[in-house]
């Protein structure tokens, strides 16, 4: 690597780390894709084999497939900040359950989340974006709220089961904290 490919960045509080130049990172991604494309498993069916969708946080510490023992082609994975049910998650799930056969949803939040313990106002100040960020005061309450929202949408009637998990980023364990089942489901 050359000095031009590596740039120092400030981490705050007098800390710094180094990161690759963005173009170097993009080149590495494209190079890695060549190996992947040559050896990948070809999953022809867009319908998830386990009829499942997982809504979770975009946090880089979460390897959704490893955490839940899933494999390529078994579940739709929908990620956003906080793993909250937003309009875009609802749009994706409407397609997943009505077009692609999903009947089970897992909403998985995690410990040490950047949306925990902050307010919308604080996040608007930090980001400069006038958005609703869906901050999390209590994971169990947020999961129950999201499960209630999902279960109440008429266009998500094909959903039979919804579970709310909290993933512990330190231990790797998942805690099953909320569950909903449609009346008459098997």
């Amino acid at each position: 690597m050359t000095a031009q490919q590596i740039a120092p960045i400030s981490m705050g509080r007098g800390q710094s780390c180094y990161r690759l130049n963005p173009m170097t990172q993009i080149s590495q991604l494209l190079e890695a894709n060549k190996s992947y494309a040559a050896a990948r498993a070809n999953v022809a069916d867009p319908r998830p084999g386990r009829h499942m969708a997982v809504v979770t946080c975009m946090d880089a510490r979460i390897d959704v497939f490893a955490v839940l023992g899933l494999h390529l082609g078994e579940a739709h994975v929908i990620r956003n900040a906080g793993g909250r049910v937003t309009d875009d998650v609802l749009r994706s799930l409407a397609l997943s359950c009505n077009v692609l056969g999903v009947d089970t949803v897992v909403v998985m939040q995690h410990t040490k989340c950047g949306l925990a313990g902050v307010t919308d106002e604080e996040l608007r100040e930090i980001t400069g974006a006038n958005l609703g960020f869906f901050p999390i005061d209590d994971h169990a309450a947020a999961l129950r709220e999201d499960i209630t929202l999902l279960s109440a949408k008429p266009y998500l009637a094909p959903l039979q089961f919804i579970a709310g998990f909290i993933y512990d980023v330190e231990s790797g364990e998942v805690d099953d904290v909320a569950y909903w089942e449609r009346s008459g489901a098997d």
Side-chain angles (χ1 to χ4, degrees):
M1 303 256 159
T2 67
Q4 293 172 335
Q5 293 175 311
I6 302 174
I9 58 172
S10 172
M11 300 288 291
R13 297 184 208 144
Q15 297 177 341
S16 63
C17 69
Y18 292 86
R19 72 173 191 165
L20 295 174
N21 173 300
M23 287 310 294
T24 301
Q25 290 187 52
I26 291 169
S27 296
Q28 288 177 343
L29 294 174
L30 293 171
E31 190 61 35
N33 175 256
K34 290 177 186 176
S35 297
Y36 168 78
R40 76 183 178 99
N42 190 2
V43 177
D45 194 344
R47 295 173 296 183
R50 292 178 61 176
H51 308 284
M52 178 182 296
V54 178
V55 177
T56 194
C57 187
M58 65 187 196
D59 193 297
R61 297 171 290 183
I62 305 171
D63 181 346
V64 179
F65 288 93
V67 167
L68 299 175
L70 296 169
H71 299 282
L72 184 66
E74 291 184 332
H76 290 159
V77 177
I78 305 164
R79 297 182 81 148
N80 66 20
R84 297 300 311 272
V85 175
T86 62
D87 286 344
D88 197 55
V89 168
L90 291 170
R91 179 182 67 88
S92 295
L93 289 175
L95 291 168
S96 287
C97 71
N98 288 289
V99 177
L100 298 166
V102 166
D103 64 10
T104 301
V105 172
V106 172
V107 181
M108 185 170 74
Q109 297 175 4
H110 67 94
T111 60
K112 300 189 180 288
C113 182
L115 289 183
V118 295
T119 65
D120 262 334
E121 293 76 25
E122 290 170 316
L123 293 167
R124 287 183 191 116
E125 177 71 27
I126 292 167
T127 64
N130 188 20
L131 300 169
F133 288 94
F134 297 86
I136 301 166
D137 289 326
D138 175 314
H139 283 292
L143 287 166
R144 285 191 300 273
E145 178 183 319
D146 286 349
I147 289 171
T148 299
L149 177 63
L150 291 172
S151 65
K153 295 295 182 188
Y155 56 85
L156 297 180
L159 292 180
Q160 299 300 305
F161 308 96
I162 307 170
F165 293 172
I166 300 174
Y167 170 67
D168 187 314
V169 297
E170 292 179 331
S171 72
E173 295 178 351
V174 170
D175 187 16
D176 183 7
V177 299
Y179 185 78
W180 174 87
E181 182 174 348
R182 187 171 304 284
S183 296
D186 295 337

